[in-house]
Amino acid sequence: IELPGEQVGMLRNYTKWRDVDFATMAFGYGITVTPIQIAGAVAAFGNDGVYNPPRIVDEIVARDGRVLYRSTAEPRRVIKAQTALDMRKMMGSVFESGKMCGTAGSIIVPGFVCGGKTGTAHKWDPTAKRYSEHNYLSSFIGLAPIDNPRLAIVVLVDDPAGGDYYGGKVAGPVFAKVASESLRYLGVPGTSLQCGPAIPNVYLLDTLPPDDPGPWKTLDGKLDALRREALLANPLLSFDQLLVIKRRA
């Protein structure tokens, strides 16, 4: 991005990889990458496999119209378009709910369907020269919206406090808020949002008959679906604190 102090990340020479490294690097250990590098890679998934080198400044134009500077970085294909599509499908499944839900199954991006990947990593302890048991780097990366991506977003939370440390719990809600508000700012059309139902149609979860899941396989699936339906109707509601809202007849 052509800024002072920019880092390049770390990847050891492949001739020094051990058998265990193939496994640990597959889920993010033994290598380092910067948030900008992650954002650029994820953006390539959303751009049908074409990588655009990220830049803070695209060009500088003088008052008389002369171009004083223009980035010379050229887009290049890094993966096949079909591979990028497959990756977007997998990223979309991270938001799926139900019994076999994804790691961001409880995250709602009001008005939009997105895709992403949660991350929960133990931090390296330079004093003990080992990974810490109680210090974490929680992250969430994603594309918004997933069907026609306009934004690649990376959220990192260093040493989260408060008990939760999983990426979906800590960084996921930040992604949801940034994605939803940014897409609306850009004028990207999303799901039509309406005012929520009136208070008389609101019921506490424990008032629902426990043996009546309806078309859902489990009661948890039914409650989850009702929460999502309510949140799409009123994006100001909180998913975790949401009451189940009954559909008007």
Side-chain angles (χ1 to χ4, degrees):
I1 58 176
E2 300 176 342
L3 286 181
E6 187 174 2
Q7 300 297 307
V8 297
M10 182 196 75
L11 178 64
R12 289 186 295 115
N13 189 298
Y14 75 94
T15 61
K16 298 181 180 180
W17 293 358
R18 300 166 298 170
D19 289 343
V20 69
D21 291 330
F22 287 91
T24 56
M25 286 192 293
F27 54 87
Y29 287 96
I31 59 176
T32 63
V33 292
T34 68
I36 287 292
Q37 289 173 325
I38 295 174
V42 173
F45 296 151
N47 198 33
D48 289 331
V50 177
Y51 173 78
N52 283 286
R55 288 289 184 273
I56 295 296
V57 177
D58 183 45
E59 66 177 14
I60 300 175
V61 182
R63 184 174 299 178
D64 59 5
R66 291 180 297 111
V67 176
L68 303 179
Y69 165 85
R70 177 177 290 132
S71 173
T72 58
E74 293 291 335
R76 66 181 188 274
R77 176 166 297 282
V78 291
I79 57 174
K80 297 178 181 178
Q82 182 61 48
T83 303
L85 176 59
D86 292 340
M87 288 298 300
R88 293 199 300 272
K89 290 179 180 178
M90 286 187 277
M91 293 173 70
S93 70
V94 171
F95 283 88
E96 291 180 357
S97 58
K99 186 175 181 180
M100 300 295 291
C101 64
T103 52
S106 63
I107 302 300
I108 300 291
V109 182
F112 298 94
V113 177
C114 299
K117 176 68 179 75
T118 61
T120 307
H122 291 272
K123 293 181 62 176
W124 177 257
D125 186 337
T127 302
K129 297 187 182 304
R130 58 192 291 269
Y131 286 105
S132 171
E133 295 183 5
H134 306 291
N135 299 94
Y136 298 90
L137 184 62
S138 305
S139 61
F140 193 96
I141 60 174
L143 295 171
I146 195 62
D147 57 339
N148 185 25
R150 291 287 305 276
L151 296 173
I153 300 172
V154 177
V155 179
L156 297 176
V157 180
D158 192 3
D159 265 343
D164 284 326
Y165 56 83
Y166 291 109
K169 292 284 189 180
V170 176
V174 180
F175 169 87
K177 187 173 182 63
V178 171
S180 181
E181 295 189 7
S182 298
L183 289 172
R184 296 186 191 287
Y185 175 80
L186 294 172
V188 178
T191 304
S192 177
L193 299 176
Q194 301 174 355
C195 294
I199 293 300
N201 284 344
V202 177
Y203 295 84
L204 291 173
L205 300 182
D206 57 10
T207 64
L208 288 174
D211 57 349
D212 181 26
W216 295 272
K217 293 182 179 180
T218 65
L219 182 63
D220 286 342
K222 178 178 182 178
L223 300 183
D224 186 68
L226 290 173
R227 284 192 184 97
R228 289 177 176 275
E229 178 183 86
L231 197 58
L232 284 176
N234 188 343
L236 298 180
L237 294 174
S238 166
F239 185 90
D240 292 330
Q241 300 174 348
L242 195 61
L243 302 177
V244 169
I245 297 179
K246 183 180 179 181
R247 184 191 293 273
R248 284 197 178 99

